[in-house]
Amino acid sequence: MVERAKNLFTVRDERSDDGTEELLTVSHITGVTSRAEKDVYMFEADDKTGYKRCMSGDLAINTLWAWMGAMGISPLAGIVSPDYHVYTSKGELLPEYVDLLCRSRPFVAEVSRWSKGIWSSRLRLYPENFFEMRLAVPPQDEQIEIIRAVETDQRKANALRDNLQLSITLAKERRAALITAAVTGQIPLAEMG
């Protein structure tokens, strides 16, 4: 089944009274994370009163960078820039499924298509455009299967990455040992030719 986003999400526009909640950031690489965990070099306001509240499980979208995929499900409660948009699910989509959907290239391309602006680096995704987007809504048991399949693939990819990194490390150690052996005369140069 395919549904318009307006049938799946509502806007959360609750504001912080004093700005003391944990500040969150939204990236196309890591999704929603605590700003304290990241090396962010952009300007940070001294007073965060009026920043938007974002609850665990909410979809947060960085309006300015949505066309690049800067969005995701928040794993924790906090506040985000007033320029971001925060959406609460109406319950048909599991948060983990939405987060995977947001990371998919076709979804990011669709976000880019619905974003407005004078050129690509200035595109912005506003709620009225987001709500017109159509999202795949499989039954929840299929969403769970998709989540599990991606998690399994990710574990395999991580194991392969770790094995590759170990192989690279061992090859570098072997190379260094061979160079040392050659330089110190432990290996005759004639054998290396």
Side-chain angles (χ1 to χ4, degrees):
M1 176 171 76
V2 175
E3 280 283 348
R4 283 188 178 174
K6 71 179 179 179
N7 297 325
L8 302 168
F9 295 93
T10 58
V11 172
R12 179 187 300 279
D13 193 9
E14 300 169 11
R15 303 298 177 121
S16 173
D17 296 327
D18 55 15
T20 59
E21 298 92 339
E22 182 166 7
L23 181 60
L24 307 175
T25 187
V26 183
S27 159
H28 68 287
I29 298 169
T30 57
V32 183
T33 55
S34 169
R35 184 173 170 130
E37 294 176 9
K38 303 199 55 145
D39 293 326
V40 180
Y41 302 104
M42 297 181 69
F43 168 78
E44 183 178 336
D46 292 331
D47 183 11
K48 296 171 193 69
T49 301
Y51 271 45
K52 291 183 180 176
R53 285 195 179 110
C54 182
M55 301 299 158
S56 177
D58 283 351
L59 172 61
I61 298 178
N62 180 330
T63 308
L64 301 175
W65 298 102
W67 62 273
M68 265 179 50
M71 63 191 89
I73 296 295
S74 182
L76 60 157
I79 53 175
V80 296
S81 165
D83 292 330
Y84 293 2
H85 292 287
V86 179
Y87 302 92
T88 301
S89 173
K90 292 182 179 179
E92 290 190 49
L93 296 175
L94 297 172
E96 300 86 356
Y97 173 78
V98 174
D99 204 50
L100 291 173
L101 187 63
C102 289
R103 302 258 160 268
S104 71
R105 287 184 183 173
F107 186 83
V108 173
E110 191 67 1
V111 165
S112 185
R113 189 174 79 83
W114 282 98
S115 296
K116 302 294 178 200
I118 53 176
W119 63 81
S120 63
S121 65
R122 296 288 186 232
L123 293 176
R124 286 159 174 62
L125 181 66
Y126 297 106
E128 59 270 15
N129 302 108
F130 172 68
F131 283 145
E132 289 302 313
M133 289 179 57
R134 282 141 179 93
L135 286 78
V137 184
Q140 287 199 350
D141 59 333
E142 287 182 28
Q143 291 179 48
I144 291 168
E145 285 180 41
I146 292 167
I147 294 163
R148 287 184 181 150
V150 170
E151 287 172 348
T152 298
D153 286 349
Q154 192 62 51
R155 278 193 300 275
K156 289 177 184 176
N158 288 343
L160 288 171
R161 183 200 64 225
D162 293 345
N163 286 338
L164 180 59
Q165 189 59 48
L166 178 60
S167 295
I168 291 169
T169 300
L170 293 173
K172 286 179 179 178
E173 289 174 6
R174 174 82 172 137
R175 177 178 177 254
L178 284 172
I179 291 170
T180 300
V183 169
T184 59
Q186 296 172 2
I187 300 175
L189 291 178
E191 288 182 25
M192 297 184 73

